């Protein structure tokens, strides 16, 4: 196996390429029973379940929210909240 | 040493917080008598429900004696002078152990006192002890592997709900008049409803979180639990307001006493015809409709409406809470992972897997989504009334799935009715609304626009003037 590093901002997975030149899922690697994520050791079975759940969450969020408009406000949530606090009930 | 308690004084424990505070102010009852009665009831029933992690009998009696002495000299400390309360074990008090329901924090003594505890102290409240909770407030069920599960006072085979499990069970069983909890996705409303009491998840920014254990700082709020909405309102009045130690409270509009709310005579109230209706238990659907009828009888306009945006708010929740809680727990996850229970550790690890880009996307989307919900829903109605649980409160045996394959599905299904409200930062008031066929309580949440906490409390008080669900007591402790 040739090692390939796939990195995410807070996550590092060590993957491999098998004899047929396909990317191997480290979770299917019999040798890898545990993985380290940001210094935290995680059981491979649990990691697989969590990743499946997260994949579903990310897909769901993407499908619900097609685009996020660029917002100049550093904290648009807070701006909307405080704006609401200054409005009267009859504004809409 | 606690004096013998006159049995008639135990009956005082069934009075409301508002009423007992009035009697304490006028001297009709002493704090010593009340505190002794509370400690007596804790001693006799808490072995069944396990709502306390620690009871500070001597400290509480000393506080009660001081309160009575002060009143005798004409000094009234505040609105809660001499009232026995107890709080979720996640509010820091300098020099006092704060376990956060965990093994990791067992024996830890903070060097600061939470702003909300300072405000309750200044108002004269008595602290009976520290209440049980889900480990690090992670989990809406109320199970705890380190301090034992809190059990539902209505039937100890059933869960209390969490993560403010001890506060809900203790208040429902009449062990204290009110309690502080926290709510990051469910933790005031779900246990309040499961135990048949009232609880407020306030608008994000209304109540200081300084000195409260963080879970997800973008979503965390502190909220009071008590048997009636009027009691919840009184506690809110004491603890709400800007605090230099918590910047999220800056610029928040001042809290207005519900009695002073100039509410519209006729509110527009929406019952959901989407989102909450999926897999809704027929008993709970019936209770929700009955609540709508009561509100209509009060002169409000009640109608069904769709809730666009709520599904997306739920989808954003794990992308915000996951990385925030995982970051806070990172050092412990690396250095002493074995000290977490398996389910809590699994849920914390899940946060490590969320890419930073998606976390930031979720935070950016949050403000836009709130604006859309305000424009699309809260221009149509003033208040949404929705279930807090979509199924009857289960037994511990039915729902204790550990960190097994069912974990994420089971927990997500319990959190779904409530967690999106935290993403939107809206206030939501949980009130009792009857019972399901298994004899366990049903609650609904009244959800309003930002800063409408007082309006919700006012509506809740009117609702409880017309209903008696909040006056019911668990048969074990009646």
């Amino acid at each position: 196996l040739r090692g390939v590093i796939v990195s995410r901002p807070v996550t590092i997975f060590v993957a491999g390429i098998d004899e047929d030149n396909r990317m191997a899922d480290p979770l299917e690697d019999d040798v890898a029973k545990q993985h380290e994520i940001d210094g935290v050791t995680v059981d491979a079975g649990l990691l697989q379940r969590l990743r499946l759940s997260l994949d579903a969450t990310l897909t769901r969020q993407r499908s619900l929210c097609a685009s996020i408009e660029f917002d100049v406000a550093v904290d648009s949530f807070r701006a909307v909240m405080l704006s609401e606090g200054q409005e009267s009930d009859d504004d809409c | 040493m606690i004096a013998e308690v006159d049995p008639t004084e135990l009956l005082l424990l069934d009075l409301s917080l508002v009423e007992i505070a009035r009697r304490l102010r006028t001297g009709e009852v002493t704090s010593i008598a009340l505190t002794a009665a509370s400690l007596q009831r804790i001693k006799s029933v808490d072995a069944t429900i396990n709502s306390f992690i620690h009871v500070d009998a001597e400290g509480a009696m000393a506080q009660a004696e001081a309160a009575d002495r002060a009143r005798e000299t004409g000094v009234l400390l505040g609105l809660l002078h001499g009232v026995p309360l107890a709080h979720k074990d996640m509010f820091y008090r300098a020099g006092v152990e704060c376990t956060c329901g965990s093994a990791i924090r067992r024996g830890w003594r903070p060097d600061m006192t939470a702003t909300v505890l300072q405000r309750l102290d200044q108002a004269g409240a008595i602290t009976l002890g520290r209440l049980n909770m889900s480990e690090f407030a992670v989990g809406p069920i109320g199970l705890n592997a380190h301090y034992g599960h809190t059990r539902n006072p209505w039937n100890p085979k059933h869960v209390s709900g969490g993560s403010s499990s001890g506060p809900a069970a203790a208040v429902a069983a009449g062990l204290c008049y009110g309690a502080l909890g926290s709510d990051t996705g469910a933790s005031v409303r779900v246990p309040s409803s499961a135990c048949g009491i009232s609880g407020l998840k306030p608008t994000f920014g209304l109540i200081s979180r300084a000195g409260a254990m963080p879970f997800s700082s973008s979503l965390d709020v502190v909220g009071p639990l008590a048997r009636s909405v009027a009691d919840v309102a009184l506690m809110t009045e004491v603890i709400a307001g800007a605090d230099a130690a918590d910047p999220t409270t800056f610029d928040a509009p001042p809290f207005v006493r519900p009695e002073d709310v100039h509410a519209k005579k006729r509110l527009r109230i929406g019952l959901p015809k989407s989102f909450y209706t999926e897999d809704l238990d027929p008993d709970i659907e019936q209770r929700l409709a009955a609540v709508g009828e009561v509100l209509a009888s009060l002169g409000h306009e009640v109608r069904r409406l769709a809730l666009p945006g709520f599904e997306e708010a739920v989808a954003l929740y794990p992308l915000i809470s996951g990385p925030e809680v995982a970051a806070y727990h990172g050092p412990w996850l690396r250095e002493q992972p074995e000290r977490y229970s398996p389910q809590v550790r699994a849920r914390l690890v899940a946060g490590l897997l969320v890419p930073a880009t998606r976390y930031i996307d979720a935070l950016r989307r949050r403000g836009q989504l709130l604006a859309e919900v305000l424009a699309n829903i809260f221009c149509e109605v003033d208040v949404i009334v929705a279930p807090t649980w979509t199924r009857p409160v289960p037994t511990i045996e039915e729902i204790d799935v550990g960190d097994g394959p069912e974990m994420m599905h089971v927990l997500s299904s319990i959190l779904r009715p409530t967690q999106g409200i935290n993403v939107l930062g809206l206030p939501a008031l949980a009130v009792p609304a009857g019972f399901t066929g298994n004899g366990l309580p049903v609650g609904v949440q009244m959800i309003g626009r930002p800063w409408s906490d007082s309006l919700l409390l006012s509506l809740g008080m009117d609702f409880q003037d017309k209903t008696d669900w909040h006056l019911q007591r668990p048969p074990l402790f009646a």
Side-chain angles (χ1 to χ4, degrees):
Chain A
L1 293 179
R2 284 176 283 145
V4 177
I5 293 179
V6 181
S7 65
R8 296 181 181 184
V10 293
T11 309
I12 297 177
F13 293 110
V14 179
I17 296 175
D18 67 13
E19 292 168 350
D20 297 326
N21 219 26
R22 294 176 307 187
M23 182 72 82
D25 185 336
L27 301 179
E28 294 173 356
D29 181 352
D30 287 342
V31 179
K33 299 295 185 192
Q34 290 190 322
H35 295 268
E36 192 173 287
I37 306 163
D38 198 20
V40 179
T41 304
V42 186
D43 172 77
L46 173 63
L47 181 57
Q48 183 150 24
R49 290 202 301 278
L50 294 176
R51 283 185 63 191
L52 287 171
S53 173
L54 177 64
D55 286 347
T57 300
L58 294 176
T59 303
R60 184 156 150 258
Q61 193 248 339
R62 273 279 188 257
S63 66
L64 286 164
C65 171
S67 67
I68 299 172
E69 293 171 19
F70 179 75
D71 204 321
V72 176
V74 174
D75 184 352
S76 63
F77 169 72
R78 196 70 187 144
V80 175
M81 290 282 286
L82 293 176
S83 154
E84 184 69 14
Q86 292 159 3
E87 291 173 1
S88 75
D89 286 349
D90 299 325
D91 281 355
C92 62
Chain B
M1 189 69 182
I2 302 165
E4 280 296 310
V5 175
D6 182 332
T8 57
E9 288 173 344
L10 289 171
L11 298 175
L12 295 171
L13 300 177
D14 292 328
L15 296 176
S16 71
L17 189 160
V18 168
E19 174 60 18
I20 212 68
R22 187 194 66 75
R23 292 193 188 190
L24 281 161
R25 281 196 299 275
T26 59
E28 293 170 63
V29 63
T30 66
S31 184
I32 288 178
L34 271 185
T35 303
S38 296
L39 293 169
Q40 174 73 42
R41 188 176 278 187
I42 291 167
K43 190 175 177 184
S44 62
V45 307
D46 201 48
T48 304
I49 60 172
N50 194 34
S51 65
F52 275 80
I53 285 179
H54 178 76
V55 180
D56 180 15
E58 287 187 12
M61 288 304 292
Q63 293 170 59
E65 286 170 17
D68 286 345
R69 274 199 308 272
R71 200 199 59 75
E72 284 165 8
T73 59
V75 176
L76 287 176
L77 296 175
L79 293 171
L80 300 174
H81 188 105
V83 178
L85 305 176
H87 311 296
K88 191 176 183 179
D89 194 15
M90 55 164 278
F91 296 101
Y92 306 161
R93 187 179 287 282
V96 176
E97 182 188 34
C98 183
T99 68
C100 303
S102 71
I104 288 172
R105 280 297 203 197
R106 196 191 294 268
W108 177 68
R109 294 173 190 274
D111 59 6
M112 68 173 294
T113 299
T115 297
V116 284
L117 291 188
Q118 292 179 39
R119 290 180 177 177
L120 290 173
D121 293 346
Q122 288 159 7
I126 308 298
T127 303
L128 294 166
R130 297 179 280 113
L131 294 170
N132 207 347
M133 58 186 284
S134 303
E135 180 182 356
F136 284 119
V138 178
I141 302 172
L143 306 185
N144 187 305
H146 309 294
Y147 299 92
H149 305 330
T150 303
R151 294 170 179 274
N152 196 307
W154 290 89
N155 184 337
K157 290 181 180 175
H158 289 252
V159 299
S160 59
S163 65
S164 306
S165 50
V171 168
L175 308 188
C176 56
Y177 290 94
L180 289 180
S182 66
D183 191 319
T184 303
S187 296
V188 164
R189 292 159 289 163
V190 160
S192 292
S193 294
C195 293
I197 64 167
S198 308
L200 176 68
K201 182 259 163 217
T203 300
F204 184 85
L206 183 72
I207 296 174
S208 170
R209 297 99 43 87
M213 179 208 77
F215 178 146
S216 170
S217 59
S218 297
L219 307 174
D220 293 339
V221 295
V222 172
L225 300 88
R227 276 169 285 184
S228 75
V229 173
D231 295 348
V232 168
L234 183 58
M235 288 184 70
T236 306
E237 183 178 348
V238 169
I239 61 177
D243 174 24
D246 180 354
T248 63
T249 63
F250 286 174
D251 304 321
F255 178 75
V256 179
R257 297 176 72 234
E259 295 86 342
D260 298 333
V261 169
H262 300 293
K264 293 172 183 172
K265 293 291 183 192
R266 185 177 166 85
L267 292 173
R268 300 164 302 166
I269 293 173
L271 302 185
K273 67 177 181 184
S274 66
F275 184 73
Y276 288 101
T277 53
E278 294 171 27
D279 300 323
L280 185 59
D281 179 87
D283 274 0
I284 297 175
E285 168 69 44
Q286 188 183 41
R287 296 314 318 155
L288 182 65
V291 170
E293 288 170 13
V294 172
L295 295 172
S297 76
L298 288 167
H300 302 301
E301 175 194 336
V302 179
R303 63 189 174 92
R304 294 274 175 178
L305 86 165
L307 298 173
F310 272 49
E311 191 71 56
E312 188 180 340
V314 170
L316 294 180
Y317 181 87
L319 305 182
I320 297 172
S321 67
E324 291 186 354
V325 72
Y328 175 70
H329 285 268
W332 292 326
L333 284 169
R334 284 187 280 273
E335 293 160 13
Q336 40 189 323
E338 72 287 352
R339 299 185 72 191
Y340 290 98
S341 64
Q343 184 183 88
V344 170
R345 181 167 171 272
R347 290 195 62 203
L348 297 176
V349 166
L352 295 171
L353 303 176
V354 177
T357 47
R358 299 302 289 271
Y359 168 66
I360 292 168
D361 275 354
L363 285 177
R364 290 171 59 209
R365 176 66 185 135
R366 189 183 185 202
Q368 295 170 355
L369 185 60
L370 173 60
E372 290 167 18
V373 165
L374 292 174
N376 296 330
I377 299 175
F378 283 103
C379 276
E380 298 292 322
V381 295
D382 302 299
V383 176
I384 299 164
V385 179
T388 47
W389 290 73
T390 54
R391 56 188 284 190
V393 178
T395 63
I396 293 172
E397 188 178 357
E398 285 170 337
I399 207 159
D400 189 4
V401 294
D403 64 341
E406 290 295 303
M407 177 187 75
M408 296 303 264
H409 172 70
V410 167
L411 297 179
S412 296
S413 69
I414 295 171
L415 286 163
R416 187 173 183 275
T418 50
Q419 63 188 169
I421 308 306
N422 295 69
V423 170
L424 296 167
L426 304 174
L429 174 69
V431 293
F435 298 86
T436 48
N438 64 0
L440 272 291
V442 173
V444 298
Q445 50 182 334
M446 297 174 171
I447 305 163
R449 57 175 60 229
W451 317 112
S452 68
D453 306 68
S454 300
L455 178 72
L456 297 179
L457 291 165
S458 174
L459 180 64
M461 288 161 66
D462 288 348
F463 174 75
Q464 291 190 337
D465 281 343
K466 286 281 186 181
T467 59
D468 64 358
W469 303 117
H470 63 294
L471 300 176
Q472 309 287 317
R473 295 289 177 263
L476 279 173
F477 311 115

